[in-house]
Amino acid sequence: MDDEHKSREQLLYELEELRCLVSGTHAGKAIEDARQQLLGIIDFLPDATFVIDGEKRVVAWNRAIEEMTGIPKKDILGKGDYAYSVPFYGDRRPVLIDLIFNRETKFSHDYDFILKKGNTLYAEVFVPVIHRGKGAYLWVTASPLYDSSERLIGAIESIRDVSYHKRTEEALRREKEYVDFIVSTAANLICCVNPDGITTSVNQEVASVTGYEPGEIIGHDWWRLFYPGEEYAQVERFFECLWKGPIHNYEMTLTTKYGEKRVISWNMIKRYEAGGDLAEIVGIGTDITELKHMQEELRHQAEKIKRFAYSVSHDLKSPIIGITGLTRLLHRQYKDLLDEKGRKYCEQILKSSEQATTLVEEINQYIRARELPLFFETVKPKEILKMIRGEFDPLLSMRQIEWKEPERMPPIVADRLSLSRIFRNLVDNALKYGGERLSEIEIGYDVSGEYHVFTIHDNGMGIKTEGCEKIFDLFQRNESSRGVEGTGLGLAIVKELVEKHRGMVSVESGPNSGTTFSVSISRHL
């Protein structure tokens, strides 16, 4: 609008100069020169502009309005009877400039608004005809023209196409309505708090969870309202974290209007003004109170199950040991009295009781893998592999199985006992299920992104790919393991221990390609 203001000031200055010239001695020539100068200025104004005289005849129609309407000046100069409205509305009717002559002018179309500052009128309106019938939103100004005796002799109207700005405003309005709708109906708590702690905005979910109406929250200190007394210590810890960067899943316990405690998990960011000053803290929260209650109940139930499992395994182990001992005693002292079938029965009882003892021990190992805390320290995988190889060396030698491992492996951070158990179970798995064709077990190591990756490959008979992913579940055994003793817990224990190292375990296998287990362990423990 500054350019328009300057152009209008320049035009009024020229009109004043014209008035002075009229009163001079060479008025005739001076008037004509000034008139031409004035028309030249009007013609080159950037905004579409026209001028009418006291009879409402068009006396100036500049280049910009020619371009806007498609009407050349030769076709409209000198015409009255509202001819200047036809290019915009398709018919003759009063427009803003006519208010200069008659304040009671009635319009057959609606202006969005009309303002008056001094002698100048300002308005905004949609006109349907220009731009080949597409229409446009126009910003319009109209001012009176006076002669030297302050007599109204005409008026000037300038027009600017603001359709782009209106479309932008409309798009922003729709976007704001959409955002407001999303915020107001969101299942999350959403709030905005200024640097002084005063709440500037909340959605309906905040009101639903806290029991306060939005009007009872907005304009009040958020922190003092929801974290009274000793609970305010949460706020101090929160701000220590907030100044370090965005906050994700930060749990705080607020107090509702009725004194109830609710646990909210917050994600919060700081929004800054263009100048760099903190504008507000924007928080998006989730009420996890019920989730916390369920987690506590699950922990309670898990503890009960753990105690039950330990009790059952202990109660089972004692009679199994008794059965094993009695059977061995029977076999040793009365084998001469037993026939071949009796001795065979004793051997079967011994074998079954040993399997039951192994199963109980594996169950205990699985429970310990799930429940016992890990001690992360720097360990050397080469040392652990040396120990594992020593345990299996007699069997490796007897079956002439070659053992391969990298010459160098870097130290890693892990739980030593867990890493030993992982390697032991996977090597034992290869020896059990590799079959007669097994002749090689190879350990590999690599780094992949955020993980240490160990591979345990054997060239044995392989595993059927159907249901291969289920072998890490409890008591699951692949069809290829038929006829081989096992509890179905070894790989489940591996999975538990690997996941406690924030990693994952997978298997690839085929009938002719052997089996490869991949164990990924986080590098950031």
Side-chain angles (χ1 to χ4, degrees), residues 469-489:
E469 70 283 353
K470 295 182 179 180
I471 64 173
F472 297 103
D473 296 340
L474 289 172
F475 305 110
Q476 291 292 325
R477 304 182 70 198
N478 194 270
E479 288 188 14
S480 57
S481 64
R482 288 182 179 178
V484 181
E485 293 181 7
T487 62
L489 283 170

mmCIF file of all heavy atoms in Angstrom, residues 469-489:
data_model
loop_
_atom_site.group_PDB
_atom_site.id
_atom_site.type_symbol
_atom_site.label_atom_id
_atom_site.label_comp_id
_atom_site.label_asym_id
_atom_site.label_seq_id
_atom_site.Cartn_x
_atom_site.Cartn_y
_atom_site.Cartn_z
ATOM 1 N N GLU A 469 10.920 -69.724 11.482
ATOM 2 C CA GLU A 469 10.951 -68.598 12.407
ATOM 3 C C GLU A 469 10.406 -68.967 13.786
ATOM 4 O O GLU A 469 10.634 -68.263 14.772
ATOM 5 C CB GLU A 469 10.150 -67.427 11.843
ATOM 6 C CG GLU A 469 8.648 -67.599 11.791
ATOM 7 C CD GLU A 469 8.156 -68.484 10.641
ATOM 8 O OE1 GLU A 469 8.999 -68.862 9.802
ATOM 9 O OE2 GLU A 469 6.952 -68.784 10.602
ATOM 10 N N LYS A 470 9.687 -70.100 13.896
ATOM 11 C CA LYS A 470 9.086 -70.484 15.175
ATOM 12 C C LYS A 470 10.048 -71.228 16.090
ATOM 13 O O LYS A 470 9.714 -71.486 17.256
ATOM 14 C CB LYS A 470 7.854 -71.363 14.930
ATOM 15 C CG LYS A 470 6.706 -70.650 14.223
ATOM 16 C CD LYS A 470 5.520 -71.570 14.062
ATOM 17 C CE LYS A 470 4.355 -70.867 13.377
ATOM 18 N NZ LYS A 470 3.187 -71.762 13.204
ATOM 19 N N ILE A 471 11.236 -71.566 15.609
ATOM 20 C CA ILE A 471 12.125 -72.393 16.422
ATOM 21 C C ILE A 471 12.663 -71.639 17.633
ATOM 22 O O ILE A 471 13.231 -72.258 18.540
ATOM 23 C CB ILE A 471 13.307 -72.951 15.588
ATOM 24 C CG1 ILE A 471 14.192 -71.810 15.071
ATOM 25 C CG2 ILE A 471 12.797 -73.814 14.460
ATOM 26 C CD1 ILE A 471 15.439 -72.317 14.389
ATOM 27 N N PHE A 472 12.482 -70.304 17.666
ATOM 28 C CA PHE A 472 12.919 -69.530 18.825
ATOM 29 C C PHE A 472 11.830 -69.437 19.905
ATOM 30 O O PHE A 472 12.059 -68.855 20.959
ATOM 31 C CB PHE A 472 13.333 -68.118 18.403
ATOM 32 C CG PHE A 472 14.511 -68.104 17.460
ATOM 33 C CD1 PHE A 472 14.331 -67.886 16.107
ATOM 34 C CD2 PHE A 472 15.799 -68.328 17.933
ATOM 35 C CE1 PHE A 472 15.413 -67.873 15.234
ATOM 36 C CE2 PHE A 472 16.883 -68.313 17.078
ATOM 37 C CZ PHE A 472 16.695 -68.100 15.727
ATOM 38 N N ASP A 473 10.653 -70.016 19.629
ATOM 39 C CA ASP A 473 9.581 -70.005 20.611
ATOM 40 C C ASP A 473 9.787 -71.130 21.621
ATOM 41 O O ASP A 473 10.532 -72.091 21.385
ATOM 42 C CB ASP A 473 8.218 -70.164 19.929
ATOM 43 C CG ASP A 473 7.901 -68.983 19.019
ATOM 44 O OD1 ASP A 473 8.521 -67.921 19.206
ATOM 45 O OD2 ASP A 473 7.052 -69.139 18.121
ATOM 46 N N LEU A 474 9.094 -71.010 22.748
ATOM 47 C CA LEU A 474 9.220 -72.012 23.805
ATOM 48 C C LEU A 474 8.752 -73.386 23.327
ATOM 49 O O LEU A 474 7.683 -73.524 22.704
ATOM 50 C CB LEU A 474 8.396 -71.601 25.027
ATOM 51 C CG LEU A 474 8.929 -70.419 25.838
ATOM 52 C CD1 LEU A 474 7.902 -70.013 26.887
ATOM 53 C CD2 LEU A 474 10.236 -70.790 26.511
ATOM 54 N N PHE A 475 9.563 -74.416 23.613
ATOM 55 C CA PHE A 475 9.233 -75.816 23.358
ATOM 56 C C PHE A 475 8.951 -76.095 21.880
ATOM 57 O O PHE A 475 8.221 -77.028 21.544
ATOM 58 C CB PHE A 475 8.030 -76.276 24.211
ATOM 59 C CG PHE A 475 8.220 -76.053 25.681
ATOM 60 C CD1 PHE A 475 7.484 -75.080 26.353
ATOM 61 C CD2 PHE A 475 9.147 -76.795 26.399
ATOM 62 C CE1 PHE A 475 7.670 -74.861 27.712
ATOM 63 C CE2 PHE A 475 9.336 -76.583 27.763
ATOM 64 C CZ PHE A 475 8.599 -75.613 28.424
ATOM 65 N N GLN A 476 9.514 -75.284 20.996
ATOM 66 C CA GLN A 476 9.330 -75.488 19.565
ATOM 67 C C GLN A 476 10.552 -76.201 18.995
ATOM 68 O O GLN A 476 11.686 -75.832 19.277
ATOM 69 C CB GLN A 476 9.144 -74.157 18.839
ATOM 70 C CG GLN A 476 7.843 -73.457 19.141
ATOM 71 C CD GLN A 476 6.656 -74.221 18.588
ATOM 72 O OE1 GLN A 476 6.733 -74.839 17.528
ATOM 73 N NE2 GLN A 476 5.541 -74.177 19.307
ATOM 74 N N ARG A 477 10.281 -77.231 18.186
ATOM 75 C CA ARG A 477 11.369 -77.952 17.535
ATOM 76 C C ARG A 477 11.009 -78.159 16.078
ATOM 77 O O ARG A 477 9.879 -78.479 15.744
ATOM 78 C CB ARG A 477 11.623 -79.295 18.226
ATOM 79 C CG ARG A 477 11.901 -79.156 19.720
ATOM 80 C CD ARG A 477 12.205 -80.492 20.354
ATOM 81 N NE ARG A 477 13.484 -81.010 19.928
ATOM 82 C CZ ARG A 477 13.856 -82.293 20.036
ATOM 83 N NH1 ARG A 477 13.004 -83.178 20.512
ATOM 84 N NH2 ARG A 477 15.052 -82.680 19.648
ATOM 85 N N ASN A 478 11.989 -77.985 15.200
ATOM 86 C CA ASN A 478 11.773 -78.164 13.765
ATOM 87 C C ASN A 478 11.607 -79.638 13.437
ATOM 88 O O ASN A 478 12.094 -80.519 14.165
ATOM 89 C CB ASN A 478 12.966 -77.573 12.996
ATOM 90 C CG ASN A 478 12.657 -77.405 11.515
ATOM 91 O OD1 ASN A 478 12.886 -78.301 10.728
ATOM 92 N ND2 ASN A 478 12.121 -76.234 11.153
ATOM 93 N N GLU A 479 10.905 -79.907 12.318
ATOM 94 C CA GLU A 479 10.684 -81.307 11.929
ATOM 95 C C GLU A 479 11.991 -82.056 11.725
ATOM 96 O O GLU A 479 12.074 -83.268 11.913
ATOM 97 C CB GLU A 479 9.844 -81.364 10.647
ATOM 98 C CG GLU A 479 8.384 -80.989 10.878
ATOM 99 C CD GLU A 479 7.546 -81.258 9.632
ATOM 100 O OE1 GLU A 479 8.042 -81.960 8.739
ATOM 101 O OE2 GLU A 479 6.424 -80.758 9.574
ATOM 102 N N SER A 480 13.046 -81.340 11.319
ATOM 103 C CA SER A 480 14.328 -81.994 11.057
ATOM 104 C C SER A 480 14.996 -82.482 12.331
ATOM 105 O O SER A 480 15.999 -83.177 12.292
ATOM 106 C CB SER A 480 15.268 -81.036 10.323
ATOM 107 O OG SER A 480 15.447 -79.845 11.066
ATOM 108 N N SER A 481 14.434 -82.099 13.521
ATOM 109 C CA SER A 481 15.033 -82.506 14.798
ATOM 110 C C SER A 481 14.418 -83.782 15.350
ATOM 111 O O SER A 481 14.733 -84.179 16.466
ATOM 112 C CB SER A 481 14.881 -81.376 15.822
ATOM 113 O OG SER A 481 13.514 -81.141 16.101
ATOM 114 N N ARG A 482 13.561 -84.427 14.581
ATOM 115 C CA ARG A 482 12.948 -85.668 15.070
ATOM 116 C C ARG A 482 14.015 -86.736 15.320
ATOM 117 O O ARG A 482 14.925 -86.912 14.521
ATOM 118 C CB ARG A 482 11.938 -86.203 14.056
ATOM 119 C CG ARG A 482 10.654 -85.375 13.981
ATOM 120 C CD ARG A 482 9.679 -85.962 13.001
ATOM 121 N NE ARG A 482 8.457 -85.183 12.944
ATOM 122 C CZ ARG A 482 7.449 -85.463 12.118
ATOM 123 N NH1 ARG A 482 7.536 -86.501 11.285
ATOM 124 N NH2 ARG A 482 6.368 -84.710 12.114
ATOM 125 N N GLY A 483 13.858 -87.414 16.439
ATOM 126 C CA GLY A 483 14.814 -88.462 16.775
ATOM 127 C C GLY A 483 16.022 -87.959 17.525
ATOM 128 O O GLY A 483 16.885 -88.751 17.929
ATOM 129 N N VAL A 484 16.128 -86.657 17.730
ATOM 130 C CA VAL A 484 17.258 -86.070 18.450
ATOM 131 C C VAL A 484 16.748 -85.544 19.782
ATOM 132 O O VAL A 484 15.742 -84.834 19.842
ATOM 133 C CB VAL A 484 17.904 -84.915 17.644
ATOM 134 C CG1 VAL A 484 19.091 -84.351 18.423
ATOM 135 C CG2 VAL A 484 18.344 -85.418 16.282
ATOM 136 N N GLU A 485 17.440 -85.906 20.864
ATOM 137 C CA GLU A 485 17.009 -85.463 22.176
ATOM 138 C C GLU A 485 17.145 -83.953 22.320
ATOM 139 O O GLU A 485 18.118 -83.361 21.853
ATOM 140 C CB GLU A 485 17.851 -86.154 23.260
ATOM 141 C CG GLU A 485 17.608 -87.643 23.336
ATOM 142 C CD GLU A 485 18.439 -88.277 24.434
ATOM 143 O OE1 GLU A 485 19.081 -87.527 25.193
ATOM 144 O OE2 GLU A 485 18.435 -89.504 24.528
ATOM 145 N N GLY A 486 16.165 -83.348 22.959
ATOM 146 C CA GLY A 486 16.208 -81.906 23.192
ATOM 147 C C GLY A 486 14.958 -81.453 23.922
ATOM 148 O O GLY A 486 13.943 -82.162 23.937
ATOM 149 N N THR A 487 15.048 -80.259 24.526
ATOM 150 C CA THR A 487 13.923 -79.751 25.323
ATOM 151 C C THR A 487 13.099 -78.705 24.584
ATOM 152 O O THR A 487 11.999 -78.376 25.017
ATOM 153 C CB THR A 487 14.457 -79.111 26.620
ATOM 154 O OG1 THR A 487 15.299 -77.993 26.280
ATOM 155 C CG2 THR A 487 15.241 -80.124 27.427
ATOM 156 N N GLY A 488 13.635 -78.137 23.504
ATOM 157 C CA GLY A 488 12.920 -77.052 22.817
ATOM 158 C C GLY A 488 13.047 -75.721 23.523
ATOM 159 O O GLY A 488 12.271 -74.803 23.267
ATOM 160 N N LEU A 489 14.055 -75.595 24.431
ATOM 161 C CA LEU A 489 14.239 -74.352 25.174
ATOM 162 C C LEU A 489 15.556 -73.652 24.852
ATOM 163 O O LEU A 489 15.728 -72.475 25.161
ATOM 164 C CB LEU A 489 14.183 -74.636 26.687
ATOM 165 C CG LEU A 489 12.794 -74.865 27.279
ATOM 166 C CD1 LEU A 489 12.914 -75.371 28.705
ATOM 167 C CD2 LEU A 489 11.972 -73.600 27.235
#
